[in-house]
Amino acid sequence: YKPEQSVQEKEDKFAILSILTTKYSNPKPYITLGTIIKNGENYYVCIIPRCDAVRKKQGEHNYPFLKLKEDQDEFSLLVKDQNYKKFKIMDKPEELIMIKMKKEDADSNTPLYANELKFIGIDESGSEIEYTWVAELKREKAQSILKTFSDKFSRVGYNESEYLRRSNQ
């Protein structure tokens, strides 16, 4: 406990403890549901199902990500990356991003592990892009993000008659 900490700093630290897992040196971080990565000032959270993330062979694989937008007012994620950053999750279906990642190790049916907290992505032109591992969400938080996204993705959009709509209220 440090008495010189502001109430905001205490709130930030508690929020991080409630949603992020602790990072240890072993095992190395890998891409899975809830992995947060960045490229420059762009942050992303992975929404690949855990079972799909652990069965990757050598080569290039697409991973689904949702972009994180820094927002001090409307945020649902807080990450400490040099300083505290507050993010809104861009979770509409049209905002889904597929990032092609390169798995170089020859071990088959293993996850895509970070090499010194770095992942190699491939852009549309075939050029390599470096992504940095930032954090790992707790399972419950990651699953909650995926559920919110899937609810939006799978909603039924059809027009019913006004008569039927009003009779069901």
Side-chain angles (χ1 to χ4, degrees):
Y1 173 72
K2 296 179 182 176
E4 66 275 0
Q5 289 180 328
S6 71
V7 173
Q8 184 62 55
E9 287 175 308
K10 291 175 187 174
E11 289 284 353
D12 291 346
K13 285 183 178 183
F14 180 72
I16 283 178
L17 286 173
S18 70
I19 63 169
L20 298 180
T21 62
T22 304
K23 183 202 170 297
Y24 298 103
S25 58
N26 203 6
K28 294 188 296 188
Y30 62 92
I31 300 275
T32 189
L33 176 63
T35 300
I36 299 173
I37 62 172
K38 72 175 184 174
N39 171 264
E41 291 301 311
N42 296 314
Y43 289 76
Y44 308 92
V45 62
C46 186
I47 59 169
I48 192 169
R50 289 187 187 279
C51 57
D52 291 347
V54 296
R55 297 185 183 105
K56 297 296 181 187
K57 296 182 179 176
Q58 187 176 17
E60 297 174 357
H61 304 279
N62 286 319
Y63 290 84
F65 284 87
L66 296 175
K67 188 167 175 64
L68 302 177
K69 178 183 173 192
E70 254 189 283
D71 192 324
Q72 298 300 311
D73 299 321
E74 292 181 41
F75 60 92
S76 57
L77 281 181
L78 183 69
V79 174
K80 184 162 188 192
D81 185 27
Q82 295 158 342
N83 55 10
Y84 291 105
K85 294 186 178 249
K86 297 173 181 174
F87 294 105
K88 180 178 182 177
I89 302 164
M90 309 309 289
D91 59 2
K92 293 180 182 172
E94 63 269 16
E95 295 168 327
L96 176 69
I97 297 169
M98 297 300 285
I99 298 177
K100 188 176 284 191
M101 295 287 191
K102 188 175 182 180
K103 183 176 185 224
E104 295 177 333
D105 63 19
D107 293 338
S108 75
N109 293 324
T110 59
L112 175 58
Y113 287 106
N115 186 8
E116 298 184 24
L117 301 183
K118 304 288 184 197
F119 298 99
I120 302 298
I122 310 293
D123 69 9
E124 298 83 28
S125 68
S127 300
E128 291 186 354
I129 302 172
E130 188 175 87
Y131 292 91
T132 305
W133 182 90
V134 175
E136 189 74 39
L137 294 174
K138 288 189 176 182
R139 288 177 180 255
E140 297 83 5
K141 181 64 176 176
Q143 192 67 40
S144 173
I145 291 168
L146 181 57
K147 179 167 183 336
T148 300
F149 172 75
S150 65
D151 286 348
K152 291 177 180 179
F153 201 80
S154 64
R155 71 182 186 275
V156 178
Y158 70 97
N159 290 327
E160 62 184 344
S161 74
E162 188 68 9
Y163 172 72
L164 288 175
R165 189 186 68 76
R166 286 185 179 181
S167 68
N168 195 23
Q169 292 180 351

